[in-house]
Amino acid sequence: MKKDNNQTNENKETAKIESYTHPAGGWDALKSVAKNLQHQETFEKGSITLLEVNQPKGFDCPGCAWPDDKTKKLFNFCENGAKAVAFETTSKRVTPQFFAEHTVRCLAKQTDFYLEDLGRLTDPMRYDAKTDKYIPISWDEAFKLIAYNLKNLEDPNQAAFYTSGRTSNEASFLYQLFVRHFGTNNFPDCSNMCHETTSVGLTDSIGLGKGTVTLEDFEKADAIFSFGHNPGTNHPRMLGTLREVSKRGGAIIAINPLKERGLQRFQDPQAALEMMANKSTEISHYYFQPKIGGDYAILIGIMKHLHEWDIEATSKGNPPVFDRAFIVLNTTGFEEMLEEIDKTSWADIHKYAGLAPKELESLAKLYRNAERAIFCWGMGITQHRHGTNNIHMLANLMLARGHVGRPGAGLCPVRGHSNVQGNRTMGIHEKPNESLLSNLDRVFNIKSPRQHGLGVVDTIKAMHEGKVKVFIGLGGNFSIATPDTEYTHEALQQCNLTVHITTKLNRSHIVHGKDALILPCLGRTEIDEQRYGTQSISVEDSMSNVHLSTGVNKPASHNLLSEPDIVARMAEAVFPESHIKWKWYIESYDRIRDSIAEVFDQFHDFNERVHQPGGFHLEHPANQHVWNTPTGKAQFLIKPLREVYEDRENQFTQQYNEAKTYTLMTTRSHDQYNTTIYGLDDRYRGVFGQRRVLFMNQTDIDEAGLIADQWVDIESIYSDGVKRVVKSFRIVPYDIPQGSLAAYYPETNPLVALSSHDEKARIPASKTVPVILHLGQEPTLEEMAS
Ligand SMILES: Nc1nc2c(c(=O)[nH]1)N[C@H]1C(S)=C(S)[C@@H](COP(=O)(O)OP(=O)(O)OC[C@H]3O[C@@H](n4cnc5c(=O)[nH]c(N)nc54)[C@H](O)[C@@H]3O)O[C@H]1N2
Ligand SMILES: Nc1nc2c(c(=O)[nH]1)N[C@H]1C(S)=C(S)[C@@H](COP(=O)(O)OP(=O)(O)OC[C@H]3O[C@@H](n4cnc5c(=O)[nH]c(N)nc54)[C@H](O)[C@@H]3O)O[C@H]1N2
Ligand SMILES: [Mo]
C-alpha cells in the first residue's frame, strides 16, 4: 500500500516549530474549521449541518460536554465541535470493496490518522482468518454470532461490555439492562480513564459524583480556579464563558505546568467586533506553574495558609477565614483534617508542590479573598495515582469556606465526551448501587447480578489471563485509548470474539479477537428513522442538563443501524424468548424514556420534560445541603502528604537512581479528539506538521547535553521491571517546569504501566509517567505507523 505524508505522523514539508503569538480562537479557528470541512470533502453539507449544532431542534454537539449557552442564537459550536461534525459528515466511505482490497495485516501498518481518515463505515463486517480480510455479514448473522458466543460462555462474567461517552442515554439504558439481564456488571467505560476519580472522590466528599455549578454561577462568581485542563483546545466554548467572567472583572487563575495559550488570551469567533478589531480578551490573570502532580501539595498548602490566617483573624476578633457555621451544620471530619494539616510541614509542601513559597501564598490569598469561587478541573487533576485524593482536597477547600450550595460558587469538573456523565447516570457502572439494581429488578422483573464487575484496568488484566473471552465495545477505540499498549493488544487478541459498534475504522478493529465484528452505526448528526417517525436521543452535559438531540443528515449508508437498535437486536438474539420487548422499544424511543422514568426518580415525566426547549436540569442534592454520604454530612477527607508522594516515588525503579529521571504527562494536541487524529498541528503550542514531539524545559535540555530538534527515545521506568520504550521523539523547548515533560497520547500509551493507577478509582496515571531519555534517531515510516 502506498504511503504519502498524510499517512504518517509527520509531514516533512510542513513540519516546523514556531511559537504562536495570536490569541486562542479568532480567525485561525475559523480558518481551521474551513480547512477541516474541505479535507473531509463536505464543505456544503458540513457547513449547513453546523447551523443545527446545539440548536433547540438540532443535535447535541459531539465535541465535548460543556453546556450550551442558550443566549447564543445562530452558532453554538466551536472549532473542536466543527471538526467532529466535519469528520462525521465526511463524504468519504469505507465499503466492503475497500475491505476486499486490503488485508488486516496491511491495514495494521497504517497510522491511526490514516485509518479514521478513510471515512464512514457502510456495512457490517466479519473478520475472515483464511484471507486475513474483513468480509460482509448480514446484521442477523452478526447478532447470531454474538449470541452464540455469549451463550457458550461458562459464566456471564467472561464477557465485558465497554462504553465510550458519546453513547446516548437511550442506548446506554438498554445496554446496561441487556448486560445485567445477561448476568454481569462488567462495564469498562471511558470514564475509567477520565473523570472516574472525580466521580468517586466527590461521592465520598459530598454524596454525588457530579459538579455542583451551572452556567449562571459563572455569571456571579468572582474567581474561577482552573486546575489541570486546557479549555482552548478541549472545551473551546468554555473560553466564551471565561471571557465574560474576565470582562466583568472576575479573576481567572490557572494552575498548570504548561503555559497554555487558550488560558492566556482569547478572541471570540462569535464576537463580531472583537474579530473585526482583531482584539482579544485576557483570560487568566494569574498563572501558576507547578511540577506535574504538585497539586495535592498545593491544595494542602492553601489549606495550611487558611488555617494560619483563621487563627490569626479570630485571635484578633476579626471575622474567621473558615465558614464555621456551614462546617458545623453540614460536615464531619473538619478538626481531624486540620490536625493532619498541622502535622504537615511547610518544607514538605514546598518540596512537592514545585511553586515558590511566595507564589503559593499568593494563590492561597486569591482563594481566601474570593466570596464566590468556582473550582474547574480536568485530566491534570484526575489522571494521577493520587487523583481521588486531589478531588478530596478540592472539595475540602470548597467546604471549608462554605462554597458549596452558594450561588456563584462550587465544584465544576469539566467532562470530556458529550454524554459521559449521562452514561453513568443511566447505570453504566461496574460498581452499581443497590437502589439501581433493585429498581431494575422491580421494573423489568429480572434478577440483576449483585457482584461488582470489572472496569477498564481489570478488564484488560482479565482478558490477558483468559478470564474474559468476549469483548463488546459500544463506541470508542479501546485498543489505544488504554494504557500499556503491547499488553492490552495481547489481551484483546486472546478473546474469542471482539465486537465494535462504530462509525469509523480504527485500531481496535485491526487488533482483534479470534473472531471479530465491525458493526457500523448512525452518528449523532444523522436522521434516525424508526416505525413511529424520526427519533431523538437525549444526553446529559457536564452541568447535569438533560436535553434532546435530533440528527438532520441523511445517513452515511442505507445499511447502518442506530445504537439503540443494535443493542436491542443483540439482546433479542441472546434472549429470543425474553419478556422484555426489545424491538418494541425501538419503534419509539419515548418508550425507552418511559422506562427510564420508572427506574430513576429524578427522571419522572421524562418525556414531557425533555421535549421542552432546552430540556431540564438534574438538581445536585448538595446545593440543598443534602449529603448522601454514609454519615449524612459532607466529609472532610485527607491522606497524609508524605504517603501520597512516597507512593509516587516508589513507582520509580531503584536501578535508575543514577540516571536523570523525569515525570511525563501524556496529553492532547489541538488537532485530535482522543484517539481520532484530525491533523498534525498543535497550533497553540506552536507545533506544525508532526506529533512525535517531547516538550522539555530548556535548562533540562542543556543539563542533559541535548539540543532542540534532537531525536530521543523515551523509556518508562516502573518498578515492575518491564521494558517499555517509544522511539524517536523530537525535543521541543517549552515553558514547563524542570523535571516535567509532555508528549501526546495515544503515541505514548505504550509507556503507561497498567498497574500504575489511582488506588480507589483505578484510573491509569497517564499524567504521571516516570521516564528516562536515550539518544534516538529520526523515525522510519514504519515506526511512525506503529
Ligand atoms: N479537541 C479536543 N477536545 C476534547 C478532547 C480531545 O481529545 N480533543 N477530549 C475530550 C475528553 S474525553 C476529555 S476528558 C477532555 C480532556 O480535556 P483536558 O482535561 O484539558 O485534558 P488534557 O488535554 O489531557 O489536558 C490536561 C491539562 O492538564 C495539564 N496537566 C497535566 N498534568 C498536570 C498536573 O499534574 N497538574 C495540573 N494542574 N495540570 C496538569 C496539561 O498541561 C493540560 O493543560 O477534553 C474533551 N474535549
Ligand atoms: N495516555 C492517555 N490515555 C488516555 C487519556 C490521556 O489523557 N492520556 N485520556 C483518556 C480519556 S479522558 C478518554 S475519555 C479515553 C477515550 O477513549 P474512547 O472513548 O474509547 O476513545 P475515542 O478516541 O473517543 O473513540 C473514538 C472512536 O469512536 C467511534 N465513534 C465516534 N463517534 C461515534 C458514535 O457516534 N457512535 C459510535 N458507536 N462510535 C463512534 C469512532 O469509531 C472513533 O474511532 O482515552 C483515555 N486515554
Ligand atoms: Mo475523557
Side-chain angles (χ1 to χ4, degrees):
M1 187 182 287
K2 191 177 140 282
K3 240 177 224 280
D4 60 34
N5 282 335
N6 267 355
Q7 293 165 233
T8 71
N9 278 351
E10 181 172 285
N11 184 331
K12 284 218 161 16
E13 282 93 69
T14 58
K16 62 174 177 183
I17 306 290
E18 192 174 87
S19 74
Y20 187 75
T21 49
H22 306 188
W27 294 107
D28 287 344
L30 291 183
K31 267 195 260 168
S32 165
V33 169
K35 196 170 127 193
N36 274 276
L37 289 170
Q38 260 150 5
H39 180 71
Q40 295 303 329
E41 296 158 19
T42 182
F43 199 84
E44 206 169 317
K45 184 176 169 196
S47 310
I48 293 167
T49 310
L50 283 173
L51 295 178
E52 300 295 331
V53 179
N54 294 337
Q55 296 301 318
K57 291 213 165 81
F59 59 91
D60 179 67
C61 180
C64 75
W66 190 253
D68 312 336
D69 182 347
K70 300 285 175 313
T71 60
K72 289 266 158 68
K73 290 289 182 285
L74 187 54
F75 304 117
N76 206 350
F77 62 90
C78 63
E79 178 186 350
N80 176 3
K83 286 184 198 161
V85 167
F87 237 54
E88 195 169 293
T89 58
T90 178
S91 61
K92 304 180 197 179
R93 296 290 177 271
V94 184
T95 60
Q97 181 66 29
F98 172 86
F99 285 111
E101 290 162 7
H102 297 87
T103 61
V104 170
R105 210 169 305 123
C106 153
L107 292 172
K109 294 193 186 125
Q110 302 302 324
T111 60
D112 301 314
F113 177 36
Y114 172 86
L115 294 176
E116 289 219 32
D117 202 34
L118 290 167
R120 293 286 300 278
L121 291 155
T122 58
D123 294 85
M125 307 297 293
R126 177 186 184 179
Y127 179 66
D128 176 44
K130 278 199 273 351
T131 55
D132 187 41
K133 286 179 180 171
Y134 273 99
I135 55 173
I137 182 172
S138 73
W139 280 103
D140 282 345
E141 288 300 318
F143 294 126
K144 264 194 216 153
L145 182 70
I146 297 175
Y148 173 83
N149 274 275
L150 288 177
K151 288 207 267 196
N152 275 307
L153 295 173
E154 291 136 31
D155 179 338
N157 291 316
Q158 290 176 333
F161 298 84
Y162 179 65
T163 319
S164 167
R166 228 183 280 210
T167 305
S168 63
N169 287 338
E170 289 72 11
S172 300
F173 182 77
L174 286 186
Y175 193 53
Q176 61 83 38
L177 176 62
F178 156 59
V179 172
R180 295 207 161 102
H181 190 21
F182 175 67
T184 182
N185 284 311
N186 287 347
F187 286 110
D189 182 275
C190 72
S191 303
N192 296 144
M193 301 178 269
C194 181
H195 262 292
E196 186 66 5
T197 37
T198 298
S199 305
V200 168
L202 288 186
T203 303
D204 293 340
S205 298
I206 60 167
L208 179 67
K210 297 186 183 183
T212 63
V213 298
T214 63
L215 280 183
E216 284 94 81
D217 290 309
F218 279 81
E219 290 164 18
K220 298 177 189 135
D222 49 31
I224 315 284
F225 292 78
S226 154
F227 290 92
H229 72 131
N230 181 19
T233 285
N234 297 320
H235 305 87
R237 281 182 299 124
M238 181 182 183
L239 290 185
T241 308
L242 294 181
R243 173 178 172 270
E244 295 305 318
V245 175
S246 187
K247 278 199 169 311
R248 62 172 178 72
I252 296 166
I253 299 116
I255 298 94
N256 197 316
L258 283 183
K259 266 279 168 70
E260 302 282 26
R261 168 65 42 172
L263 281 166
Q264 293 169 274
R265 305 196 71 75
F266 176 55
Q267 187 177 60
D268 190 354
Q270 317 253 4
L273 279 178
E274 195 166 79
M275 290 286 282
M276 298 319 287
N278 218 2
K279 283 190 179 145
S280 61
T281 307
E282 188 181 3
I283 292 286
S284 295
H285 305 103
Y286 306 92
Y287 210 111
F288 297 91
Q289 283 183 280
K291 289 199 271 216
I292 292 176
D295 308 83
Y296 192 68
I298 290 177
L299 298 170
I300 297 236
I302 297 176
M303 189 66 91
K304 199 170 170 75
H305 276 301
L306 295 186
H307 188 28
E308 289 178 359
W309 293 329
D310 186 73
I311 294 169
E312 193 188 318
T314 44
S315 71
K316 291 185 188 151
N318 292 332
V321 173
F322 292 130
D323 187 340
R324 297 275 171 185
F326 177 92
I327 292 167
V328 168
L329 268 179
N330 292 289
T331 71
T332 62
F334 182 63
E335 296 305 330
E336 290 85 341
M337 182 206 60
L338 285 188
E339 269 171 41
E340 187 54 47
I341 294 285
D342 282 340
K343 276 195 262 168
T344 313
S345 73
W346 278 117
D348 276 355
I349 291 172
H350 293 136
K351 172 173 146 198
Y352 294 120
L355 286 184
K358 276 272 157 235
E359 281 186 292
L360 181 57
E361 189 180 340
S362 60
L363 177 57
K365 263 192 200 136
L366 285 164
Y367 183 55
R368 186 196 62 189
N369 293 343
E371 288 279 309
R372 288 172 297 278
I374 293 178
F375 282 178
C376 301
W377 69 93
M379 299 300 99
I381 286 291
T382 65
Q383 294 175 330
H384 291 286
R385 289 166 74 93
H386 58 279
T388 303
N389 308 108
N390 275 340
I391 307 299
H392 290 160
M393 266 322 291
L394 286 171
N396 289 347
L397 282 170
M398 283 264 128
L399 293 167
R401 302 249 314 135
H403 283 303
V404 180
R406 174 185 297 176
L411 293 151
C412 180
V414 187
R415 305 244 174 203
H417 270 304
S418 51
N419 197 38
V420 62
Q421 189 161 314
N423 300 159
R424 292 305 227 192
T425 308
M426 288 297 113
I428 303 275
H429 209 298
E430 72 278 17
K431 294 184 186 127
N433 59 35
E434 180 53 33
S435 92
L436 165 69
L437 298 179
S438 51
N439 282 349
L440 284 175
D441 292 356
R442 173 180 54 78
V443 173
F444 293 98
N445 195 20
I446 60 171
K447 187 86 196 93
S448 303
R450 266 39 187 187
Q451 185 193 338
H452 282 175
L454 307 173
V456 164
V457 163
D458 297 290
T459 294
I460 295 172
K461 271 195 212 145
M463 286 193 294
H464 206 272
E465 291 164 5
K467 292 180 188 153
V468 162
K469 299 174 177 178
V470 175
F471 175 92
I472 298 184
L474 182 49
N477 190 357
F478 191 85
S479 70
I480 52 167
T482 44
D484 234 344
T485 313
E486 198 178 323
Y487 182 90
T488 298
H489 285 190
E490 287 165 8
L492 283 163
Q493 285 159 342
Q494 293 274 340
C495 289
N496 293 339
L497 175 69
T498 50
V499 179
H500 292 281
I501 298 156
T502 184
T503 51
K504 294 279 191 84
L505 190 64
N506 68 38
R507 186 72 49 196
S508 302
H509 314 143
I510 307 301
V511 182
H512 55 76
K514 289 167 200 137
D515 219 329
L517 289 169
I518 302 176
L519 304 181
C521 65
L522 293 175
R524 201 176 276 174
T525 56
E526 289 166 331
I527 299 168
D528 183 355
E529 205 58 46
Q530 304 293 348
R531 179 158 180 206
Y532 289 104
T534 303
Q535 300 301 311
S536 307
I537 52 102
S538 65
V539 294
E540 176 182 340
D541 65 32
S542 205
M543 294 184 187
S544 309
N545 304 302
V546 181
H547 59 94
L548 285 181
S549 168
T550 316
V552 295
N553 288 333
K554 195 168 146 250
S557 144
H558 65 274
N559 205 11
L560 304 181
L561 296 182
S562 75
E563 289 183 356
D565 199 10
I566 292 175
V567 174
R569 291 203 200 188
M570 186 156 65
E572 182 107 349
V574 176
F575 300 111
E577 312 291 326
S578 170
H579 61 282
I580 300 172
K581 295 174 282 180
W582 301 102
K583 280 192 189 150
W584 175 83
Y585 276 114
I586 303 308
E587 292 176 359
S588 161
Y589 297 172
D590 281 352
R591 291 170 179 171
I592 310 178
R593 286 186 282 272
D594 281 340
S595 286
I596 293 173
E598 278 188 83
V599 172
F600 302 104
D601 293 344
Q602 275 202 309
F603 283 78
H604 66 87
D605 305 306
F606 189 5
N607 273 308
E608 195 188 313
R609 290 194 295 156
V610 84
H611 282 288
Q612 305 296 320
F616 61 95
H617 177 68
L618 298 170
E619 279 300 323
H620 198 304
N623 285 331
Q624 271 69 52
H625 294 174
V626 173
W627 316 97
N628 293 323
T629 63
T631 56
K633 300 267 185 189
Q635 312 196 103
F636 284 95
L637 299 163
I638 186 165
K639 183 168 172 176
L641 185 79
R642 281 225 178 153
E643 276 180 37
V644 164
Y645 288 98
E646 278 167 10
D647 163 74
R648 210 175 127 88
E649 278 160 13
N650 283 343
Q651 66 174 324
F652 285 64
T653 167
Q654 300 308 310
Q655 124 200 34
Y656 287 100
N657 275 350
E658 299 301 307
K660 167 80 180 157
T661 56
Y662 307 86
T663 305
L664 171 78
M665 67 162 91
T666 60
T667 189
R668 293 157 168 77
S669 86
H670 194 66
D671 274 0
Q672 78 182 83
Y673 193 90
N674 298 336
T675 67
T676 301
I677 312 302
Y678 298 127
L680 301 175
D681 297 348
D682 190 6
R683 196 168 73 231
Y684 299 153
R685 298 196 187 110
V687 174
F688 299 91
Q690 55 193 325
R691 286 183 53 84
R692 294 182 85 90
V693 293
L694 179 67
F695 299 104
M696 193 167 178
N697 177 288
Q698 184 63 56
T699 310
D700 278 349
I701 299 176
D702 297 342
E703 284 180 3
L706 298 167
I707 51 165
D709 270 351
Q710 189 165 354
W711 296 98
V712 289
D713 297 342
I714 313 173
E715 178 177 355
S716 60
I717 47 161
Y718 296 96
S719 41
D720 65 6
V722 177
K723 196 162 178 78
R724 297 180 182 84
V725 184
V726 291
K727 296 207 155 180
S728 305
F729 281 68
R730 194 200 293 266
I731 297 210
V732 174
Y734 207 80
D735 191 351
I736 183 172
Q738 276 187 265
S740 297
L741 301 173
Y744 303 132
Y745 118 88
E747 286 84 346
T748 45
N749 281 30
L751 295 175
V752 185
L754 189 67
S755 56
S756 179
H757 53 71
D758 177 88
E759 204 179 320
K760 200 161 180 207
R762 303 183 77 74
I763 282 198
S766 32
K767 296 284 186 275
T768 326
V769 187
V771 299
I772 56 173
L773 302 180
H774 306 282
L775 289 184
Q777 286 180 345
E778 189 168 349
T780 60
L781 285 183
E782 270 60 40
E783 274 164 355
M784 282 185 180
S786 61

